[in-house]
Structure formats: C-alpha cells, structure tokens
Amino acid sequence: MNNNDIKIKVILVEDDDDFAFLVKKMITANPRLDYLGRASGWATGVEMAQTLNPQITLMDLNLSGSELDGIEAAKEIRLTTNSKVILLTSYEQPEIVIEASKKSFASGYLFKSDCQNLADTIYKTAISATPQEQFIKELVLSELTAAERGVLNELIAANSDVLSSQFQSKPDTVSGSSPKTIANQKTSIFRKLGVRNTGELVGVFRGW
C-alpha cells in the first residue's frame, strides 16, 4: 500500500472547547486523517487511547488547570498502547516543551499558536521517524550509560516477535553478561526512564 493511501487514526485529549473545535475541523478536513474523538481529561484520554488504539494521540500539556499533567497522561498512553503522542502546548519556552516530550516519550510537540501545519505533522509522525522524534529519542537515551544502552538494545532484539499491543516479554537473554549484572542494569534503566517492566520498555522503543 502506498503511504498516500494510509488513513491515520487520531484522538485528541484537550480541555479547551474552542481549541478542540479548531483541531477537529482541521483533522476532519484532511482526507488522510480519521478523527476518532476527543477526551477532555487525564483518565478519559488514557481510556480512549487504550480502547480505540489510534496511531496518533494529540495531548494537551495542561489538563484541568493542573500544570503539565498532560505529561503523565501522555506517558501512560505510550506505556500501554501503540499510539504515538504529539504534545500540544500554549507554552512558548522550548526548553519546557522539550523536557515534557522527553519525560512522556512523546514523538513530537506543536505550539498551539503555530498549529497551521497540524495535519501534516500528524501524518508525517505516524508514517515515519521525524527529525523531532529522533531528537526526543536521543534525549531519552542520553540518560543511560553505554552498558545500559547495550542491555536495552538486546532486550528489544530478544522481544522483537512480541506484539507490543499485548505488552508481554520473554525471559531475559542478554548475551555476555551475568544474570545479576543484567538484573542490576535493567533496574537502573527502569528507574531512569520511569517504566515498570520490560514489556513497557520494549513497547516504547519499538514504537519509536
């Protein structure tokens, strides 16, 4: 199938009715995108993503007036579904948004004041690894030592045939290391990246 024939499924998590209306209008006007619906809060957004399994979740960085609570919602979606996340934000400070993208394993971000390219951003993020996504991934990986990166790469390879939608994992088979060393390095990776198990870890990085 040609990429031009792919229709990308999208959900929106946004508490601002006016902005949500604008986003819906832009998405539904694009024949390459399929708008599945909107949630206005943290829990309903995660539930919608887990139920509908969209390729892209658009996540407001601030939900219900709680500062940057969209980070945790976006992260939970990344850890429990196959959906990529694009953060939407009114913040104009790049350092805040980049850090939020890193913490949430987002695939990109877009300032609300510059959303005229939203549809194109959604499509490109869904079908390929964009430069923005690669940048965020490298920031996340920069938290790990060289040895921990090696463990991560081998864990992903060892679980390459596991369906990420099921978020299961095989027994650890990292070569060249003792079970105790592997266990210690895994614990360190989980702590640094804020994941709970190998399945979540593999799911996130395979999604990238």
Side-chain angles (χ1 to χ4, degrees):
M1 180 182 289
N2 188 291
N3 281 344
N4 291 329
D5 298 325
I6 299 173
K7 196 161 187 178
I8 306 303
K9 296 179 180 180
V10 184
I11 67 168
L12 171 66
V13 185
E14 169 64 61
D15 64 339
D16 184 317
D17 291 340
D18 292 335
F19 186 75
F21 176 80
L22 175 63
V23 169
K24 179 181 178 180
K25 184 176 180 180
M26 286 189 288
I27 294 175
T28 55
N30 193 302
R32 300 182 300 177
L33 306 180
D34 183 12
Y35 182 80
L36 300 184
R38 169 208 173 191
S40 59
W42 198 109
T44 52
V46 173
E47 182 180 4
M48 178 177 283
Q50 292 171 339
T51 301
L52 300 181
N53 197 31
Q55 283 108 315
I56 296 291
T57 296
L58 301 175
M59 174 65 65
D60 182 15
L61 197 51
N62 277 351
L63 292 166
S64 305
S66 180
E67 187 174 353
L68 303 183
D69 57 344
I71 293 175
E72 288 303 317
K75 181 178 178 180
E76 188 65 17
I77 287 170
R78 289 286 284 123
L79 293 180
T80 60
T81 78
N82 292 316
S83 181
K84 291 185 175 184
V85 173
I86 298 174
L87 298 179
L88 303 176
T89 177
S90 298
Y91 285 98
E92 296 292 340
Q93 303 95 323
E95 63 277 8
I96 293 178
V97 184
I98 291 171
E99 185 66 16
S101 299
K102 175 183 168 183
K103 289 180 178 179
S104 63
F105 304 119
S107 291
Y109 59 87
L110 199 62
F111 299 117
K112 289 186 177 182
S113 60
D114 186 34
C115 64
Q116 64 268 21
N117 297 318
L118 177 62
D120 193 49
T121 298
I122 292 171
Y123 194 78
K124 288 180 178 178
T125 302
I127 67 171
S128 64
T130 65
Q132 194 178 65
E133 182 177 59
Q134 291 289 352
F135 171 66
I136 295 168
K137 180 180 178 180
E138 283 303 314
L139 285 178
V140 173
L141 289 172
S142 70
E143 296 292 322
L144 306 180
T145 66
E148 289 166 349
R149 285 199 189 204
V151 170
L152 172 61
N153 289 337
E154 293 204 34
L155 285 172
I156 293 171
N159 289 272
S160 61
D161 62 342
V162 178
L163 292 177
S164 58
S165 61
Q166 294 176 335
F167 290 90
Q168 300 172 349
S169 60
K170 287 182 176 180
D172 301 329
T173 56
V174 180
S175 62
S177 299
S178 70
K180 182 177 180 180
T181 298
I182 295 169
N184 289 339
Q185 289 172 326
K186 277 183 57 184
T187 298
S188 179
I189 293 169
F190 293 168
R191 176 180 54 80
K192 288 180 178 180
L193 302 188
V195 300
R196 294 169 288 218
N197 53 56
T198 302
E200 289 185 348
L201 187 70
V202 172
V204 164
F205 282 93
R206 287 178 60 208
W208 265 340

